[in-house]
């Protein structure tokens, strides 16, 4: 196991936020592909948790097993990715060994969101209802479309033959359609009708 890695458990509130693309430079820096277009959580967290990549992504990965923790000395934006210096990881070969590793952060280490801003991870799983109280489904995912995000809401639909099947509706996540987001109450209220 490369130096700088400490065997660890994954926190209960762990969220996967990216993966290691490769080494960056010759002094042990890592090049990271964040899952978010706004990687502030990676910059704010001083400890990251790593797990091995899926075998299909990088067969033969053997830098470590289970979960390891790393301490971040510095993380910054570089081009379309993030680069980070890990305490105790001082050469390119050790950094290359981590290529493909999945990066997790404790949700509690994320910086606080501004008013009327939300982390996608906090929206997934919330129930969506319209102004009339009609249940529209549950947020299963979000999709970035450029100018705004779109809620991907899963619901059960009745088919022509009378059977029930999972269906999905898309609701733009913008103030003209979203009236309220209640994270604690696990509910999003929208100005949207079931037949849209």
């Amino acid at each position: 196991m490369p130096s700088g890695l400490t065997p660890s458990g994954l926190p209960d509130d762990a969220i996967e936020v990216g993966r290691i693309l490769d080494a960056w430079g010759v002094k042990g820096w890592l090049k990271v592909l964040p899952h978010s277009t706004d990687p502030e959580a990676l910059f704010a967290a001083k400890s990251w948790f790593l797990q091995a990549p899926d075998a299909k992504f990088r067969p033969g990965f053997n830098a470590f097993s289970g979960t390891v923790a790393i301490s971040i000395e510095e993380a910054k934006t570089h081009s379309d990715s993030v680069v980070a210096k890990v305490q105790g990881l001082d050469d390119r070969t050790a950094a290359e060994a981590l290529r493909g590793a999945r990066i997790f952060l404790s949700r509690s280490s994320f910086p606080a969101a501004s008013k009327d801003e939300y982390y996608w991870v906090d929206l997934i799983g919330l129930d969506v209802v319209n102004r009339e109280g009609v249940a529209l489904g549950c947020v299963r995912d979000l999709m970035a479309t450029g100018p705004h995000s779109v809620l991907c809401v899963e619901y059960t639909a009745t088919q022509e033959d009378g059977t029930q099947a999972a269906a999905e509706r898309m609701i733009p996540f913008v103030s003209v359609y979203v009236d309220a987001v209640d994270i604690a109450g696990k509910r999003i209220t929208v100005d949207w009708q079931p037949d849209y």
Side-chain angles (χ1 to χ4, degrees), residues 43-120:
F43 301 142
K46 295 302 175 195
S47 292
W48 296 358
F49 300 90
L50 305 181
Q51 288 191 336
D54 294 329
K56 65 182 178 185
F57 179 74
R58 182 159 180 223
F61 180 87
N62 62 2
F64 62 87
S65 61
T67 302
V68 296
I70 57 175
S71 296
I72 302 302
E73 289 181 11
E74 182 180 356
K76 59 187 178 182
T77 302
H78 178 73
S79 202
D80 61 347
S81 62
V82 169
V83 293
K85 177 68 176 104
V86 177
Q87 185 177 349
L89 193 70
D90 297 320
D91 66 75
R92 183 174 181 86
T93 303
E96 286 174 337
L98 300 178
R99 190 168 31 89
R102 298 162 54 208
I103 303 168
F104 294 80
L105 298 179
S106 170
R107 172 61 184 89
S108 61
S109 71
F110 284 27
S114 302
K115 183 182 182 325
D116 294 331
E117 290 186 344
Y118 305 94
Y119 286 107
W120 282 16

Side-chain angles (χ1 to χ4, degrees), residues 139-178:
V139 178
R140 287 292 166 228
D141 201 0
L142 283 99
M143 182 172 51
T145 61
H148 60 79
S149 299
V150 173
L151 298 170
C152 302
V153 179
E154 186 178 273
Y155 66 100
T156 302
T158 303
Q159 305 297 307
E160 289 181 14
D161 64 0
T163 60
Q164 302 284 308
E168 187 175 65
R169 60 174 47 101
M170 306 290 196
I171 302 173
F173 192 64
V174 293
S175 61
V176 70
Y177 298 117
V178 177

